[in-house]
């Protein structure tokens, strides 16, 4: 059985880590370099850095900050936000990213997934999907959750796998920041229809929520932000708890 992963997420706006609820009401959560260093030292399996306003502001990702975070950690590092070309990917990989995450640009230009996978390998490509359940249907949203599309979560997930994505980072907008648990029903369905790892995002509030998403949601990794940033859950204790539940985890 593959080891499950715990992944803190740094949502970055104006060079600071922020956190909101349902993609709005953003509050400061600290210095990204200090947080990254702490997570690497306390047992995080990977780190995700999302420049959440880059697409909306139509600018490139914060390269200097990416470089500083990469220098402070020794765990796999995924960077997303404002990536719209193979050249953007090249710059990020040269400045310390191990993987890149694309979202809006993948929907607007699906061939970008193929191109990045062909040049750098599928293991480098994480396609982030922000989706909201509306009248029973999971609808994909873009630009930090602000723009609804006509795409269905499950159809899009199948397409990104076929195009060469190595992982899917699924964030439930309904669950995001609520601390009521992950969207496990949708996650379990996703894991049935694709053969690449699924990272669960949106809704972590307790240690039990992590266990539930691994057991019921069949997620391969669980990503969270505020519960880690504000020390509501400490990663070493979380991992011991999951191990006690007989979930395969790296201590």
């Amino acid at each position: 059985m593959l080891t499950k992963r715990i992944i803190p997420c740094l949502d970055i706006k104006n060079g600071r880590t922020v956190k909101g609820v349902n993609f709005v009401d953003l509050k400061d959560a600290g210095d990204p370099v200090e947080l990254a260093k702490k997570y690497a030292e306390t047992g995080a399996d990977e780190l995700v850095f999302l420049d959440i306003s880059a697409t909306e502001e139509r600018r490139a990702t914060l390269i200097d900050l990416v470089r500083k975070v990469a220098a402070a950690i020794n765990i796999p590092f995924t960077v997303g936000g404002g990536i719209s070309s193979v050249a953007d990917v090249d710059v990020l990989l040269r400045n310390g990213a191990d993987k890149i995450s694309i979202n809006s640009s993948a929907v607007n230009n699906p061939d970008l997934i193929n191109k990045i996978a062909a040049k750098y390998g599928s293991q480098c490509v994480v396609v982030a999907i922000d989706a909201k359940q509306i009248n029973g249907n999971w609808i994909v949203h873009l630009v930090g959750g602000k723009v609804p599309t006509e795409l269905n979560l499950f159809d899009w997930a199948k397409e990104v796998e076929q195009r060469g994505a190595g992982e899917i980072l699924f964030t439930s907008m309904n669950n995001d920041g609520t601390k009521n648990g992950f969207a496990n029903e949708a996650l379990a369905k996703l894991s049935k229809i694709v053969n690449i790892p699924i990272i669960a995002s949106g809704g972590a509030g307790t240690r039990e929520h992590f266990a539930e998403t691994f057991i019921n949601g069949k997620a391969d990794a669980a990503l969270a932000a505020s519960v880690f940033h504000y020390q509501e859950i400490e990663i070493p204790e979380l991992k011991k708890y999951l191990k006690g539940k007989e979930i395969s985890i790296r201590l």
Side-chain angles (χ1 to χ4, degrees), residues 2-13:
L2 280 176
T3 305
K4 305 293 187 183
R5 291 168 287 147
I6 301 297
I7 307 176
C9 181
L10 305 177
D11 289 321
I12 307 294
K13 190 173 172 76

Side-chain angles (χ1 to χ4, degrees), residues 70-234:
I73 63 175
N74 58 354
I75 54 176
F77 183 34
T78 301
V79 178
I83 298 166
S84 58
S85 68
V86 172
D88 291 341
V89 175
D90 192 59
V91 171
L92 289 168
L93 295 179
R94 279 193 283 107
N95 282 278
D98 298 296
K99 301 188 246 188
I100 58 89
S101 170
I102 50 175
N103 186 336
S104 300
S105 61
V107 173
N108 294 328
N109 175 20
D111 200 39
L112 182 61
I113 303 169
N114 305 62
K115 285 178 178 168
I116 299 169
K119 183 160 185 188
Y120 300 107
S122 290
Q123 82 291 337
C124 176
V125 189
V126 180
V127 173
I129 306 178
D130 299 333
K132 189 175 195 177
Q133 193 172 32
I134 302 168
N135 300 325
N137 292 317
W138 283 96
I139 305 299
V140 175
H141 283 59
L142 307 182
V143 194
K146 294 180 175 67
V147 180
T149 69
E150 292 181 359
L151 282 174
N152 168 278
L153 163 66
F154 305 106
D155 295 338
W156 179 230
K158 280 192 273 197
E159 182 176 342
V160 304
E161 179 185 31
Q162 286 159 2
R163 286 181 174 276
E167 275 184 291
I168 290 170
L169 166 53
F170 163 53
T171 302
S172 163
M173 293 173 63
N174 307 72
N175 299 54
D176 177 69
T178 63
K179 299 187 180 175
N180 292 328
F182 295 92
N184 291 323
E185 207 175 301
L187 283 158
K189 187 174 174 182
L190 270 178
S191 79
K192 262 194 193 136
I193 62 171
V194 299
N195 295 307
I196 54 176
I198 306 288
I199 304 167
S201 166
T206 66
R207 297 180 310 176
E208 288 78 12
H209 291 154
F210 286 87
E212 285 160 11
T213 203
F214 290 139
I215 296 165
N216 304 328
K218 312 293 181 198
D220 299 279
L223 177 144
S226 57
V227 290
F228 296 144
H229 301 339
Y230 303 125
Q231 288 95 48
E232 290 161 32
I233 296 175
E234 296 286 359

